[in-house]
Amino acid sequence: MPSRTPLQVSESRAAELVAAVLDRRRRSGDPDLVRASDDVLGVVRHVAGHRRVAAAVLHEDTLDALELLEYARVRLPALPGAYDALEYELLSRRRDAQVSLADVAARLGVTRQAVDLRLRRGRAASNGLARSELADRAHETIRQEAARWRRDRALAVRTVIVVFGRHVDELRGDGHLVDLVEILLAPDDDRRPPAVTDPVTEQDLVLLRRVLAAARASTVFGALDGDSRIRAATEQGDRLIREYDVLTADVERFRRR
């Protein structure tokens, strides 16, 4: 990854930016202003974390905070990851502040492409990946493919879940496994239970994976007849989970170790 050259921000300019942010927050009636400190990083963190002000205020504050981060990179040495995380938090929420990539580029004296690269690298890191554009693009591609798989294979996955629900009595000798099945069958909230045609969620697959693993380890499951519907559903569930794992495996090579 090419190294970045921070914008040179003088101490007097940093003081002006801090004063400007705090003044705008006072005039806009920021209800969280009492929590703000008047040092550079305190102001940046306040802008990133407290956003109950008008979009016009957020717009100016976000740009000022990004410039203050450039000052901090030079004058207040710290682990680069700490400043990178703050920068990503500001960039990732720029739409709330009506801040475009071009606005950021103009303020920091870089190209729009450079800002986009910072955003992509920050997003990759926030997803537990290596801080790189390649990792972000791979993650986004796989995320879209995984969402498509969960939609297209919803009927097959939910059919497995339904079989476990209808034949759970076969597992009554294993209280832990029955509890997991009941959790798998429960809706995420107070809405109706999901229909077999509803897209499958990541949480559905996590829970199904736990049920399948518990079933394989259960002596009650092991004693089921060869033609048991539960046994057939488990085998089908295993095949589906393997499909999904193959689809999403490529992103693992970008995981930070």
Side-chain angles (χ1 to χ4, degrees):
M1 180 192 311
S3 60
R4 58 187 286 171
T5 303
L7 177 70
Q8 295 300 308
V9 180
S10 68
E11 190 169 344
S12 61
R13 171 63 175 167
E16 290 173 6
L17 292 170
V18 166
V21 170
L22 294 177
D23 182 58
R24 273 193 300 272
R25 291 287 173 142
R26 278 191 291 271
R27 287 188 284 109
S28 66
D30 177 4
D32 302 308
L33 187 57
V34 66
R35 304 178 185 180
S37 59
D38 60 0
D39 61 283
V40 168
L41 289 179
V43 167
V44 172
R45 292 189 181 105
H46 189 80
V47 172
H50 300 283
R51 307 174 69 82
R52 294 192 291 171
V53 291
V57 173
L58 276 181
H59 178 93
E60 295 301 324
D61 283 358
T62 298
L63 293 173
D64 285 355
L66 287 167
E67 189 174 344
L68 283 170
L69 269 180
E70 297 295 289
Y71 170 85
R73 288 181 189 276
V74 175
R75 301 296 186 96
L76 306 172
L79 290 174
Y83 293 152
D84 292 341
L86 272 173
E87 181 181 67
Y88 175 67
E89 188 170 358
L90 291 165
L91 290 177
S92 65
R93 302 178 70 177
R94 71 189 186 284
R95 289 183 180 175
D96 295 342
Q98 299 176 10
V99 172
S100 68
L101 294 181
D103 291 332
V104 177
R107 174 62 76 92
L108 301 185
V110 297
T111 65
R112 185 185 182 283
Q113 181 185 28
V115 179
D116 184 59
L117 284 174
R118 293 180 188 183
L119 180 60
R120 287 185 175 279
R121 290 167 180 166
R123 184 164 55 218
S126 74
N127 285 315
L129 306 176
R131 188 179 171 80
S132 77
E133 177 194 8
L134 181 60
D136 180 62
R137 290 188 184 280
H139 182 269
E140 179 62 17
T141 298
I142 291 171
R143 187 190 67 80
Q144 292 174 1
E145 291 175 351
R148 190 178 305 114
W149 186 96
R150 293 195 302 270
R151 182 190 65 234
D152 294 345
R153 301 294 271 158
L155 179 58
V157 173
R158 293 207 181 279
T159 297
V160 170
I161 294 172
V162 167
V163 170
F164 269 97
R166 289 179 178 172
H167 299 274
V168 70
D169 284 344
E170 296 180 30
L171 306 172
R172 288 297 174 190
D174 187 328
H176 174 64
L177 179 53
V178 169
D179 287 345
L180 289 178
V181 172
E182 290 176 351
I183 293 170
L184 177 64
L185 293 169
D188 290 338
D189 51 32
D190 293 333
R191 297 172 299 178
R192 62 167 177 79
V196 292
T197 54
D198 286 349
V200 174
T201 67
E202 287 277 7
Q203 183 65 9
D204 290 328
L205 295 176
V206 169
L207 293 173
L208 178 58
R209 195 187 298 270
R210 291 177 62 191
V211 167
L212 295 173
R216 290 295 187 194
S218 171
T219 56
V220 172
F221 175 85
L224 293 176
D225 293 338
D227 60 353
S228 163
R229 294 293 302 276
I230 288 282
R231 187 177 290 281
T234 300
E235 292 172 355
Q236 173 66 355
D238 284 339
R239 285 193 292 270
L240 290 165
I241 292 296
R242 283 196 298 271
E243 266 186 40
Y244 191 73
D245 286 347
V246 168
L247 179 68
T248 58
D250 192 52
V251 77
E252 293 303 316
R253 66 192 176 95
F254 294 104
R255 292 282 176 203
R256 287 178 295 188
R257 303 301 180 188

